[in-house]
Amino acid sequence: GSQISCFSPTNFTGKQSAYTDTACWDSLIHHGFDAEGRAITKSLWALKVFPYSLLVVAVLMYLPYLLWRYAAAPALHCDLLFIIDELDKSYNRSVRLVQHMKKIQQASAEPEQFWEEYERARRERYFEFPLLERYLSCKQHAHALVFIYILRNLLLLLFLAATCLYLVFLHLNIFFQDEFSCSIKTGLLQAEPNIPPLIPCKLVFFSVFQIISLSVGSVYVLLIPVVIYNALQLCQWDKGLLSVYEMLPAFDLLSRRMLTCPLNDLNVILLFLRANISELTSFSRLNAVSALREATANKEDIDTVIDFMTLLAGLETTKPKH
């Protein structure tokens, strides 16, 4: 419908009133007077382009997603699939190895043979899988993902702040001006005596624009600390996730102090690995054993990876006391 309603003089015909509405909507210039009585004009043109500016904002907010989707997501997806698969394989192989060692104990007439195998496994590092460890170490020296991640968050912050400042500007300068005085005495109509110098007009859609701008501004203000929080996650390592896998020597980055500056691709991978922890089936089991280790009074009973794997394999082995 009509987006403006002007109160034309009573002597105007229908076509003249329609022309007044059209002319005032095309100009959107408020004519008023200052405190000293001097004539001033104020453009309300920003109200006309407000719906299109929201469309531009929507496109700008979509750009960081496109950057991440096509520049970083494919490589990150491959990294996550490989690491999740290798972590679960490390866990499963450790369990199978302990089951094999337990079978040796059951088939042997000498109970001490199990513990000989136990010591041999520790010496020869049967539980370690260097491919995963070297791959994770290599990711500490890569910075492609972390660069795109930081750039994405900076673009989000920039667009959010710019949109909020734009909406504040509209509210302070225009969005309290739902009524204005319009002048159509221009061109051929300038000499017409029957046309008043100023015609009062009212913007019909003004309240709708206010509600939309307040809603968008409120959501974006709430999103700014969320984006900042996500960006600050790169300033520290997710040691909670790493410490659980410390039980598997293939993931001994903490014990060997291989973690350096957190601003690298490995930290980005760990952040998304934590977000997709449900895909990592071995994490819940290792997390349960980690809690058991903390609750065990006599920690000497489960003080090595093989003891942990014995529990995870559903076996119960009592180490002989010498």
Side-chain angles (χ1 to χ4, degrees):
S2 177
Q3 304 192 33
I4 193 173
S5 177
C6 295
F7 302 94
S8 304
T10 55
N11 59 345
F12 275 28
T13 63
K15 290 185 177 181
Q16 290 174 326
S17 297
Y19 172 81
T20 301
D21 291 349
T22 303
C24 290
W25 172 248
D26 289 340
S27 64
L28 272 183
I29 296 178
H30 170 63
H31 297 265
F33 301 92
D34 57 10
E36 299 178 358
R38 293 176 298 186
I40 58 173
T41 58
K42 180 180 179 181
S43 176
L44 304 178
W45 182 78
L47 288 174
K48 184 182 294 186
V49 300
F50 179 70
Y52 306 101
S53 64
L54 291 183
L55 181 61
V56 173
V57 169
V59 173
L60 290 177
M61 297 301 295
Y62 198 66
L63 291 179
Y65 166 77
L66 293 178
L67 173 66
W68 182 260
R69 174 67 180 83
Y70 293 102
L76 178 62
H77 182 68
C78 294
D79 290 335
L80 288 176
L81 288 179
F82 173 76
I83 292 174
I84 289 174
D85 184 61
E86 286 299 316
L87 286 175
D88 286 340
K89 282 182 179 179
S90 299
Y91 165 81
N92 294 329
R93 290 171 185 173
S94 299
V95 171
R96 287 198 298 268
L97 181 56
V98 170
Q99 290 175 332
H100 173 69
M101 293 170 61
K102 183 63 177 177
K103 289 180 181 179
I104 293 177
Q105 183 195 28
Q106 293 174 347
S108 175
E110 300 179 3
E112 293 295 330
Q113 186 173 357
F114 173 80
W115 298 106
E116 293 176 1
E117 292 289 333
Y118 163 85
E119 295 296 339
R120 181 168 166 241
R122 292 184 61 184
R123 290 193 306 269
E124 300 187 13
R125 303 163 67 93
Y126 284 169
F127 291 91
E128 295 191 11
F129 302 93
L131 175 61
L132 176 61
E133 181 180 333
R134 293 181 182 180
Y135 186 79
L136 295 177
S137 300
C138 177
K139 284 300 177 179
Q140 290 185 89
H141 305 290
H143 300 87
L145 288 178
V146 71
F147 174 77
I148 298 175
Y149 186 82
I150 294 176
L151 179 61
R152 183 194 69 168
N153 284 279
L154 289 178
L155 288 177
L156 282 174
L157 284 176
L158 176 62
F159 296 151
L160 288 173
T163 303
C164 291
L165 291 177
Y166 170 69
L167 294 177
V168 168
F169 167 78
L170 289 182
H171 275 274
L172 293 180
N173 293 276
I174 298 175
F175 273 6
F176 293 103
Q177 191 78 38
D178 60 333
E179 297 180 357
F180 67 100
S181 298
C182 175
S183 175
I184 60 173
K185 292 181 70 67
T186 57
L188 297 177
L189 301 179
Q190 190 170 5
E192 288 292 332
N194 297 327
I195 298 178
L198 297 177
I199 298 176
C201 297
K202 183 177 179 63
L203 298 172
V204 178
F205 56 85
F206 188 78
S207 58
V208 177
F209 277 12
Q210 280 186 320
I211 294 175
I212 293 176
S213 62
L214 288 175
S215 302
V216 173
S218 301
V219 172
Y220 281 11
V221 168
L222 294 176
L223 284 177
I224 289 177
V226 175
V227 175
I228 295 176
Y229 173 79
N230 287 334
L232 292 178
Q233 293 299 301
L234 288 180
C235 296
Q236 61 181 0
W237 290 100
D238 187 1
K239 294 185 178 180
L241 177 64
L242 295 178
S243 61
V244 171
Y245 277 90
E246 282 294 294
M247 287 180 265
L248 296 178
F251 208 99
D252 59 351
L253 296 180
L254 282 179
S255 61
R256 296 180 60 180
R257 298 185 179 181
M258 297 173 65
L259 296 180
T260 55
C261 176
L263 293 178
N264 52 58
D265 288 359
L266 177 59
N267 201 13
V268 176
I269 293 173
L270 292 179
L271 289 177
F272 282 86
L273 187 63
R274 169 68 73 175
N276 296 274
I277 200 66
S278 59
E279 303 294 329
L280 196 55
T281 57
S282 58
F283 177 79
S284 59
R285 293 178 177 268
L286 289 174
N287 196 32
V289 174
S290 178
L292 179 62
R293 178 182 58 181
E294 298 297 330
T296 301
N298 187 7
K299 292 184 173 53
E300 294 181 354
D301 291 339
I302 50 171
D303 60 349
T304 65
V305 65
I306 296 183
D307 296 320
F308 294 141
M309 292 300 103
T310 303
L311 293 173
L312 291 172
L315 305 174
E316 188 171 349
T317 303
T318 302
K319 188 175 181 178
K321 296 181 180 180
H322 300 284

